Amino acid sequence: MSVTVGSVKRAFKYRFYPTNAQAAELLRTFGCVRKVYNLALAARTEAWARQERINYNQTSAMLTAWKQTEELGYLSDVSSVPLQQTLRHLQAAFANFFGKRAKYPRFKSRKKSHRSAEYTTSGFRFRNGALTLAKVTEPLDIVWSRPLPEGAEPSTVTVSQDAAGRWFVSLLCEDPALSPLPATGTAVGVDVGLNHLLTLSTGEKIANSRHERRDRDALAKAQRSLARKAKGDGANRAKARRRVAKIHARVVDRRRDGLHKLTTRLVRENQTIVIEDLSVRNMVKNRSLARAISDAAWSEFRSMLEYKASWYGREVIAVDRFFPSSKLCSHCGKLAESMPLHVRTWTCNGCGTTHDRDVNSAKNLKAAGLAVSVCGAGVRPQRRTPGGQPTTKQKNPRREP
C-alpha cells in the first residue's frame, strides 16, 4: 500500500519561562477556560435530561450572557479566544460521544485536570520568531530547541502547564518540507514484550529500559512524604505534590525520548512494518502485569510508529490479536497445542526446528502482514485501525499470552 505525503500539519512543542505577570495571566486564563467548559457541560447535561440538545452556537451565546453577569464578569478579563476554543472542544467531545467513540464528557477538576489554553490566529501575534499572546504585553521567553519549518506560520498555539510546574507552548504549523523517504524494499515484523521491549523478525532484540522501575524508590519516598502532609491547599502539600510530579515527568520524558528514537529508526530502515493489534486497555487489567505494561508504553509506541509512517511514506500493518504468532512454527507452519508464558524456547514437533518464542512470533507477524500487503484485502477480512492502516482478521485459536 503506497502512502502519499504532502504538506501536513505538525505540532512543534517548546518549553518557555513566563514572567510573573505572564504566569498570573495564563493561570487566570486556565481557570476561566475550565469554568466555561464546566458551565457549558452542565447546561448541556441539563438539556440532555430534558431530552434536548444544545450545540456550540447556543453555548457561545450563553458565554456572552455569562460575561454580562456580576458573578461571572471576570470572564471578560481574559482573552475570549481560548474560551471559545474550549466550547469547540466540548462540541467535539459530544460528537465523539454520540458517535460512540468516547464516553460522556466529564467535568474538569481544578487540581487534576490538564491546564491548557488554545489560541487561534486572532489570539496571538508571531513576528520574527517572537510569540505574543492576547492580553499579554511581552513576547514569551521560548527555548527554541529546534527551528520551525522555513516560512511556517502557526495556525494554532496551545499553552500548557504540567503537574511539575513546567510551561510549554505548542505551535501547529504546515510543514511543506516533509517528504517521503527513499523506498527501501525491506519489511520487518515487530513483537512487543516485557523482558525485551521489541523483538524484530531479523532476530534483533531491543532491551526494555524499564524507566519507571529505575525511579521507583525515589517515587515511593516522595509519595510517602506527600501522604504525610495534611490534606488541603497548604504550601507544604503543594511542594510535596510537585516533587512527585517531577519524578513522574522525568520518567515520561525518558520513555518518550527512547520511543521517538526507536520508532524513527524503524521507519527510516524499513518500508513495511508489521505489528500486532494488541488490546492494551484490556491487558492492563491484569494486576500482576499492569505496571510493567504501562511502563513499556506499547500504545504510545504504536501511535508514534503510525503517524511517522504516514509522514514518510511507509506502511504499517497491524495483524489481528487472535493470530497465533507464538504457537505457529515459522518454518513448517505447524501449530503447537499450547504455549504457556514461561516457555521462551520451544521445538516444533513437525520439523524439529528450535525457536526462540519472540523471534518466531516476529517472523510470523511479518509473513502475515506481507500476505495482506502483496495479495490485497481479499486475502482475509480486514478492518481499519485508528491510524488508518489495515488489520488482518484471522479465525484462528486465541493466542495464549
Side-chain angles (χ1 to χ4, degrees):
M1 181 183 68
S2 61
V3 180
T4 302
V5 179
S7 178
V8 298
K9 286 190 174 182
R10 295 178 60 184
F12 295 83
K13 190 174 182 179
Y14 305 92
R15 190 169 179 181
F16 75 98
Y17 297 87
T19 63
N20 292 336
Q22 289 174 339
E25 178 63 30
L26 290 173
L27 289 175
R28 279 195 298 270
T29 303
F30 294 160
C32 292
V33 165
R34 182 180 62 252
K35 182 66 174 180
V36 170
Y37 186 95
N38 288 342
L39 287 172
L41 176 55
R44 297 185 70 149
T45 301
E46 292 172 2
W48 175 260
R50 299 191 304 267
Q51 297 184 347
E52 299 176 2
R53 287 193 182 184
I54 295 179
N55 58 26
Y56 162 76
N57 292 331
Q58 291 169 296
T59 55
S60 181
M62 290 179 182
L63 175 59
T64 302
W66 293 334
K67 289 181 179 181
Q68 296 172 354
T69 64
E70 182 178 355
E71 181 184 1
L72 300 174
Y74 61 87
L75 295 177
S76 300
D77 297 338
V78 301
S79 172
S80 63
V81 175
L83 304 184
Q84 294 289 345
Q85 286 299 103
T86 196
L87 295 179
R88 293 188 177 94
H89 294 163
L90 180 60
Q91 178 66 26
F94 271 99
N96 289 331
F97 168 69
F98 291 126
K100 298 183 179 180
R101 296 183 295 272
K103 295 182 179 180
Y104 193 83
R106 296 184 297 178
F107 291 96
K108 293 183 179 295
S109 167
R110 182 172 65 89
K111 294 182 179 180
K112 297 181 180 180
S113 296
H114 179 67
R115 295 181 174 183
S116 66
E118 186 178 271
Y119 296 79
T120 55
T121 51
S122 60
F124 67 88
R125 183 175 67 253
F126 186 72
R127 297 288 185 275
N128 301 322
L131 177 66
T132 306
L133 301 176
K135 300 286 187 175
V136 177
T137 56
E138 299 178 357
L140 301 182
D141 182 14
I142 300 175
V143 180
W144 297 101
S145 53
R146 54 174 173 168
L148 290 175
E150 186 176 355
E153 290 291 335
S155 60
T156 303
V157 170
T158 302
V159 181
S160 61
Q161 185 188 35
D162 66 6
R166 302 178 301 176
W167 294 85
F168 296 95
V169 59
S170 179
L171 288 74
L172 187 65
C173 307
E174 291 279 352
D175 190 359
L178 200 63
S179 60
L181 294 171
T184 64
T186 59
V188 67
V190 180
D191 180 73
V192 298
L194 297 178
N195 291 331
H196 295 88
L197 181 61
L198 301 181
T199 300
L200 308 184
S201 56
T202 58
E204 179 184 358
K205 293 189 175 184
I206 299 172
N208 185 358
S209 298
R210 304 181 189 274
H211 299 286
E212 185 270 340
R213 180 178 291 185
R214 290 168 54 187
D215 279 338
R216 188 171 294 178
D217 292 341
L219 180 60
K221 181 179 179 180
Q223 288 174 331
R224 285 195 299 268
S225 176
L226 174 62
R228 287 193 294 266
K229 300 296 185 291
K231 294 185 178 180
D233 295 329
N236 288 337
R237 185 172 179 83
K239 290 179 182 178
R241 187 185 297 112
R242 280 195 296 271
R243 282 195 292 269
V244 173
K246 286 180 179 179
I247 297 174
H248 280 297
R250 184 166 65 241
V251 172
V252 171
D253 288 346
R254 285 202 300 251
R255 181 190 297 128
R256 186 174 292 126
D257 178 68
L259 290 177
H260 271 300
K261 293 175 180 177
L262 184 57
T263 52
T264 298
R265 174 202 155 189
L266 290 174
V267 168
R268 285 178 176 173
E269 294 179 354
N270 302 280
Q271 185 67 34
T272 303
I273 305 168
V274 185
I275 60 177
E276 190 173 9
D277 184 25
L278 296 175
S279 178
V280 179
R281 180 178 299 179
N282 292 332
M283 296 177 71
V284 295
K285 294 179 181 179
N286 183 338
R287 294 185 178 183
S288 62
L289 297 176
R291 196 168 190 173
I293 292 174
S294 298
D295 190 26
W298 294 338
S299 295
E300 189 172 7
F301 164 76
R302 175 174 176 172
S303 175
M304 289 183 181
L305 199 64
E306 288 182 334
Y307 76 70
K308 290 180 182 181
S310 66
W311 283 355
Y312 299 112
R314 301 310 200 204
E315 181 183 11
V316 175
I317 300 175
V319 176
D320 188 79
R321 69 196 65 161
F322 299 120
F323 176 64
S325 57
S326 295
K327 299 192 295 184
L328 190 66
C329 176
S330 59
H331 187 264
C332 70
K334 182 177 177 59
L335 186 66
E337 293 184 359
S338 64
M339 190 66 59
L341 185 61
H342 68 273
V343 176
R344 311 314 301 175
T345 304
W346 61 284
T347 302
C348 176
N349 294 330
C351 62
T353 303
T354 300
H355 296 289
D356 178 284
R357 177 195 182 103
D358 297 330
V359 175
N360 177 69
S361 177
K363 290 180 178 179
N364 285 325
L365 289 174
K366 175 184 174 181
L370 289 180
V372 174
S373 180
V374 173
C375 302
V379 68
R380 58 173 63 85
Q382 298 184 50
R383 65 177 178 85
R384 306 297 293 182
T385 70
Q389 303 296 344
T391 302
T392 63
K393 204 70 175 178
Q394 296 271 354
K395 291 186 178 179
N396 287 318
R398 181 184 179 91
R399 178 191 175 191
E400 295 186 15

